[in-house]
Amino acid sequence: MKTTRIDDDEHWLASGAAASYARMRAAGCPDGVTSAGRTHAEQQALRDKFLAHKGAFALPPGHSQHELGLALDLPKPARGWVRRNGASHGWVKDVNPKENWHMEYRKAADTHRDVLIQGSRGAAVKALQKKLGVTVDGIFGPKTKAAVIAYQKNHGLEADGIAGPITRKSLGI
């Protein structure tokens, strides 16, 4: 499984979920992640705390989407934003009634997954960079964003620096 760090606090998600989280942040989701991807050992430690009545509810290892990098635990401001806006980004709210802070990613529900923004990574970004004639490293950084804006301006598109379906179709990707 390919994973991506999503903040400076060592939180990680599976790449598709991380890209969705980056798009939500760009769309206005408040910063703040309590927990994201976990190893089997980390899940076991949380389960042990729960069973000892020293921690919040935690599923047994092998049953949590955190271990797949497909779940986020969010504080109130971010949680409220995701409840209002996260469904179209693939984030399902209130999966477990015992964990109102817990959100899970469903790729099939992510209507924004074909959108590349600053912070996106991967093969789609490499294809975009190749078409734009910029350094191909698979990371949509400030130089790629500037190239997207320049392309959009030169082709009469909305110059927002976002490589969505219209910009990508214009580029032939």
Side-chain angles (χ1 to χ4, degrees):
M1 164 182 52
K2 188 173 179 181
T3 63
T4 302
R5 251 180 76 189
I6 59 170
D7 60 19
D8 294 331
D9 293 327
E10 302 295 324
H11 292 120
W12 59 270
L13 290 169
S15 295
S20 175
Y21 178 71
R23 289 189 297 272
M24 288 195 306
R25 292 280 298 121
C29 180
D31 192 17
V33 173
T34 307
S35 183
R38 297 182 192 141
T39 66
H40 181 88
E42 290 168 333
Q43 188 67 30
Q44 183 65 59
L46 290 172
R47 180 68 176 175
D48 291 344
K49 282 183 181 180
F50 166 69
L51 294 174
H53 306 288
K54 295 180 180 179
F57 177 78
L59 289 169
H63 297 277
S64 173
Q65 294 296 301
H66 285 286
E67 292 175 88
L68 300 175
L70 299 175
L72 284 170
D73 291 345
L74 300 171
K76 281 187 179 183
R79 185 183 325 149
W81 192 96
V82 173
R83 283 196 175 117
R84 290 185 305 277
N85 306 289
S88 67
H89 291 273
W91 291 92
V92 180
K93 59 186 179 191
D94 303 323
V95 174
N96 184 333
K98 294 180 183 180
E99 298 181 315
N100 67 350
W101 56 85
H102 180 82
M103 311 288 170
E104 294 184 2
Y105 179 69
R106 303 285 190 268
K107 180 180 177 179
D110 187 352
T111 62
H112 301 274
R113 70 177 180 261
D114 292 330
V115 176
L116 300 174
I117 62 167
Q118 189 165 336
S120 297
R121 296 172 176 259
V125 175
K126 287 181 180 180
L128 173 68
Q129 291 169 327
K130 186 175 180 180
K131 286 285 190 173
L132 293 170
V134 298
T135 301
V136 177
D137 62 5
I139 301 169
F140 194 129
K143 290 179 182 177
T144 302
K145 182 176 181 177
V148 169
I149 290 170
Y151 177 87
Q152 291 168 326
K153 286 179 180 177
N154 291 334
H155 290 84
L157 303 173
E158 180 182 352
D160 58 7
I162 297 170
I166 295 170
T167 299
R168 291 175 72 186
K169 183 177 180 179
S170 175
L171 283 161
I173 52 174

